[in-house]
Amino acid sequence: MLKDKLKNLFPDVRKGIGRFPLTVLSGVLYFILTIIYMEADFKVSYQLQAEVMEYMILILISIPLLTACELIREKYFSQKNRGMFRLGYLFLITVFLAVCKRFYLNGISGEEYMLLNLFTIGIIAYLLFLLIPLIYRKKNIDEYFQVVISDKIITIVFSIILFLGMAAIIGAVDVLLINVDNNLYYYSLAFSVFIFGLTHFLSRMREPEDEMEDYEMSRTNRFLLSYILVPLIIGYTVILYIYMAKIIILFKMPQGILSHMVVWYMVFTLFILIIITPLAMENKFIEKFRKLFPLFSIPLLLLALMSIYERVSQYGVTENRYIIIVLVLWLLFNMIFFVFRKDVRIVIISLISVIFISVFTSLNMTKISVRSQTMRLEKILKSNGLMKDGKLKKNVNINKEAKNEIMNIAGYLSEPMIGGQSRNIVINGKKYSTNEFMAEIGADYSWNSFNGGIYSSEQTISVENTTTPEERIVEIGNYRYFTENIEVLNVNDSRSSDRYEIKHNSEDEIAIVNRMANKEIMRINIEMEAKKVFEGIKERIKNKEGNWIKLSDKEMTVTGENSNGKYKISFKTVEFNEKGEVFHYRYDIYFSEK
């Protein structure tokens, strides 16, 4: 009996490797690339790390695709040449990933890195892995889906336990015996997930011909679903209906937060409706809940749609509101469909469709949001006399609320899109940078209610250097002492050695003190020194491309001296706007006492 239970928990690993060799190989490659990435010296091999990270991302996408293709082979092409079929789908997946790399991984550290698109492709790949085995099944579809989810949860639990055990051993060796490399913890995590976890999960997967006749939900899951989760869902639904009654009685429109309260609980409930299918055959209470809840959910979803519409009518569409609207419509479709037919395949197919439309079509979240906010901005500009016949103009007679709203929309339209692409303010077909737009309407930072105005990618220019010594005061070169990577986050911050201390009198001013003589050697205004860097490159800023400028060490360095000593400041990064106003900086300082 115990032997059978252990065999169920830990099936034959060799069987999983034999069924899904390419998937297992992908997990091994990911583990190897993790080691290469962690061992590469960031200061010397940044390009190597970036390339390795690209391949790690692509492997994560390949894992569900390879597994799904193997399931298709087992079901429909089991009599064909297994090796040739695997080479065929491996080639197709490789071509697909090469296309993804070409379009979405053109420099992982740059603005062109389309993280959202890759993340979406990965989500769709995993949904296809869930969907494909269900398509050809004629019965026990929900049971199969439940087994896959259950096996995934079990695998995650075992992987966590294995990682914690390995981490404990590494920690004990580090503390009690010899110092070990901290990277071993990362390697243990990668091994637990992509070697042990992946092979364990694949070993538990059912055969295509398995009709799930022997499937039986565990007592723990039965109790959890029947006596805890379903009653909690019913209780939460009752509260929402009471709130809906309050809205009707008071005739007061619901607040925007209601849509979030409804949407995420409905997503969870839809998942539960799928999971409880096997129980509905034998439990009258679960059967009635599964039958009636979709009907009761429809008024709540309509209420959520009304709530988000109220926000959109006032403030326009943004990416976050777009996601909520799409989720509400998706849930509404599935709940209505569930009234007539309960099919998990429709849920997955509709989810894939919604995700694809939201990211890869002309109706995607970014385009719709930009279009909505642009229309809203044009409407405000026209109503306040800042736009006439499609052209921008100045008008000093604008109230504070309108100014703030214009700047908020301009700031939103100037920010990089999700995925890293830059965008502009477009009025009547003409593109404007934030500064150009502000100049056209006579705006300045005082228009925004937030201190300092908007800081968009068009306004803030950052310059950077590359020196990275140790973070402490040390003896160095012609300047006898040195300390690295100063960044004032708190005026109480300081750096010190046995002889010297660098104290912050304010965010912009430091004092170098000889601790042994209790004497201040020099006082330096760092902001004024940073402005010297700006004076040296302000002509280049006018013709800049992007909002990062890389300078040489010489261009980022300023020097000075007084009767007590001399100093050299080597700035690592400086952020300022095109007027030369400094926002933030990091620097190294070299100094000597005369």
Side-chain angles (χ1 to χ4, degrees), residues 139-237:
K139 60 180 181 178
N140 294 329
I141 294 172
D142 296 291
E143 285 81 356
Y144 180 86
F145 178 80
Q146 187 178 117
V147 166
V148 172
I149 299 300
S150 177
D151 287 348
K152 195 67 177 176
I153 293 172
I154 291 172
T155 299
I156 291 171
V157 171
F158 285 164
S159 297
I160 291 173
I161 292 172
L162 177 62
F163 167 67
L164 293 177
M166 295 174 71
I169 293 173
I170 294 169
V173 171
D174 188 32
V175 173
L176 302 176
L177 300 176
I178 59 173
N179 292 331
V180 297
D181 191 342
N182 287 335
N183 286 345
L184 288 176
Y185 292 103
Y186 295 102
Y187 305 153
S188 299
L189 179 61
F191 177 85
S192 300
V193 175
F194 293 98
I195 302 295
F196 168 78
L198 187 59
T199 54
H200 179 267
F201 176 73
L202 295 174
S203 300
R204 295 179 65 90
M205 288 198 64
R206 297 292 185 109
E207 298 281 352
E209 303 301 329
D210 190 342
E211 297 295 339
M212 310 290 295
E213 298 292 347
D214 62 337
Y215 173 76
E216 185 177 356
M217 186 181 293
S218 68
R219 290 183 180 180
T220 302
N221 290 341
R222 289 169 183 269
F223 180 84
L224 179 66
L225 291 167
S226 302
Y227 300 104
I228 297 179
L229 292 181
V230 169
L232 286 175
I233 291 171
I234 293 173
Y236 192 85
T237 305

Side-chain angles (χ1 to χ4, degrees), residues 197-402:
L198 187 59
T199 54
H200 179 267
F201 176 73
L202 295 174
S203 300
R204 295 179 65 90
M205 288 198 64
R206 297 292 185 109
E207 298 281 352
E209 303 301 329
D210 190 342
E211 297 295 339
M212 310 290 295
E213 298 292 347
D214 62 337
Y215 173 76
E216 185 177 356
M217 186 181 293
S218 68
R219 290 183 180 180
T220 302
N221 290 341
R222 289 169 183 269
F223 180 84
L224 179 66
L225 291 167
S226 302
Y227 300 104
I228 297 179
L229 292 181
V230 169
L232 286 175
I233 291 171
I234 293 173
Y236 192 85
T237 305
V238 170
I239 293 172
L240 289 177
Y241 263 94
I242 293 172
Y243 180 71
M244 186 168 67
K246 178 182 176 182
I247 292 171
I248 295 172
I249 294 171
L250 299 178
F251 202 69
K252 181 180 178 182
M253 293 299 291
Q255 299 178 354
I257 192 174
L258 176 67
S259 56
H260 290 273
M261 296 177 66
V262 171
V263 165
W264 302 115
Y265 123 89
M266 283 290 182
V267 170
F268 174 74
T269 304
L270 181 60
F271 173 76
I272 295 299
L273 286 173
I274 297 168
I275 293 296
I276 62 174
T277 298
L279 286 178
M281 302 295 181
E282 56 190 62
N283 188 314
K284 295 291 184 180
F285 170 70
I286 296 298
E287 182 184 7
K288 285 190 176 182
F289 171 80
R290 189 167 178 267
K291 181 179 180 180
L292 296 177
F293 182 84
L295 289 170
F296 280 93
S297 69
I298 293 173
L300 294 176
L301 288 169
L302 293 174
L303 182 65
L305 199 59
M306 187 186 304
S307 173
I308 194 64
Y309 173 78
E310 184 74 9
R311 297 288 291 178
V312 168
S313 62
Q314 291 176 340
Y315 305 108
V317 179
T318 61
E319 280 92 343
N320 289 338
R321 292 179 194 134
Y322 179 100
I323 291 171
I324 294 298
I325 292 170
V326 167
L327 278 175
V328 171
L329 294 175
W330 174 71
L331 286 164
L332 198 57
F333 165 80
N334 280 285
M335 290 303 181
I336 293 173
F337 189 87
F338 259 51
V339 172
F340 303 100
R341 183 181 176 186
K342 299 169 178 61
D343 193 333
V344 65
R345 293 172 295 190
I346 299 300
V347 175
I348 299 175
I349 291 171
S350 61
L351 182 57
I352 291 173
S353 302
V354 163
I355 292 173
F356 183 84
I357 292 170
S358 300
V359 177
F360 294 108
T361 69
S362 59
L363 297 175
N364 70 66
M365 67 178 76
T366 298
K367 289 185 178 180
I368 294 297
S369 300
V370 169
R371 191 182 307 163
S372 171
Q373 293 299 325
T374 300
M375 292 172 61
R376 180 170 164 244
L377 178 60
E378 289 180 353
K379 182 179 179 181
I380 296 171
L381 292 173
K382 289 176 182 178
S383 63
N384 286 276
L386 293 169
M387 183 177 175
K388 187 175 182 180
D389 299 327
K391 295 182 179 180
L392 299 177
K393 56 181 292 186
K394 296 181 176 67
N395 182 12
V396 296
N397 299 317
I398 306 174
N399 61 51
K400 183 177 179 181
E401 289 74 17

